[in-house]
Amino acid sequence: TFDRKRAIFGAPLLDFIRTSQPKAWARLEKLLGDQTGEQILRDLCKWLEIHGVLATLRHGFKCYGRKLFAAQFAPVHGMNPDADAAYAANTCGLTRQLYYSASNTKSLDLVLSLNGIPLMTVELKNQGSGQTVDDAVKQYRKDRDPRELIFIFKARTLVHFAADTDSVQMT
């Protein structure tokens, strides 16, 4: 489920870390016990807001002095089975009608995420129902609060698409 206050999907992220970095997870769990997941999410969100999502995905983040990775890129070669397994643990998410705000019931048509971190939003329109890509652009401009965490550039999503059956625009 989507954590509206943090603007992330916590469970996929924790599953990724637990699966791809079992030693780091075990060390943190020894220190933090039942609070391990909560502490990781709290530290990740602080890190995202300071360093941005792209740097965090590329270089990882710190939790209790231990470096954790929120994603694993493809290994250069297949000689390291641990790197292959970590890469295979990545999960891409596609969520329809994501209710993103803690203060209202507005939703996004599509959100694409990597290991629970939202990276792209999409507003879809259909000329058959009388709406075009221009209506989607207008929706982003007029109906979306840019102060909502999911829309803050670098802190969460990196790109927003407005699309209809004939054209796509992005920002």
Side-chain angles (χ1 to χ4, degrees):
T1 61
F2 188 72
D3 183 336
R4 294 180 188 190
K5 290 183 181 177
R6 291 183 173 140
I8 60 170
F9 298 91
L13 178 75
L14 295 176
D15 287 344
F16 172 76
I17 293 171
R18 194 179 294 115
T19 302
S20 65
Q21 301 151 79
K23 290 177 186 173
W25 181 274
R27 283 192 295 259
L28 285 171
E29 197 169 40
K30 194 173 182 180
L31 286 171
L32 302 168
D34 293 342
Q35 295 301 308
T36 303
E38 180 61 30
Q39 187 64 50
I40 288 171
L41 293 175
R42 195 170 24 247
D43 288 352
L44 170 71
C45 289
K46 279 190 230 172
W47 196 273
L48 285 169
E49 289 167 24
I50 294 168
H51 300 282
V53 70
L54 201 53
T56 303
L57 290 173
R58 285 183 177 158
H59 307 294
F61 66 101
K62 296 262 179 135
C63 178
Y64 264 68
R66 285 161 176 77
K67 191 169 194 174
L68 297 173
F69 293 91
Q72 179 67 43
F73 293 92
V76 177
H77 52 74
M79 297 176 69
N80 183 342
D82 292 338
D84 290 338
Y87 176 67
N90 283 319
T91 57
C92 295
L94 176 66
T95 307
R96 284 191 66 233
Q97 291 308 122
L98 178 72
Y99 294 90
Y100 59 87
S101 178
S103 62
N104 62 55
T105 58
K106 294 179 181 178
S107 67
L108 291 158
D109 291 338
L110 289 175
V111 173
L112 287 85
S113 59
L114 176 63
N115 298 328
I117 300 173
L119 300 177
M120 295 175 253
T121 69
V122 184
E123 284 298 341
L124 299 169
K125 301 302 174 198
N126 182 345
Q127 288 89 329
S129 64
Q131 292 187 313
T132 67
V133 70
D134 294 329
D135 294 300
V137 169
K138 191 182 309 178
Q139 190 173 13
Y140 273 119
R141 285 184 178 158
K142 304 286 185 196
D143 195 38
R144 302 290 182 242
D145 184 350
R147 295 170 296 189
E148 287 279 356
L149 187 53
I150 197 163
F151 296 117
I152 296 177
F153 182 66
K154 286 177 44 175
R156 292 300 182 278
T157 49
L158 297 173
V159 63
H160 306 281
F161 291 95
D164 64 25
T165 56
D166 293 329
S167 66
V168 176
Q169 293 184 30
M170 64 173 273
T171 184

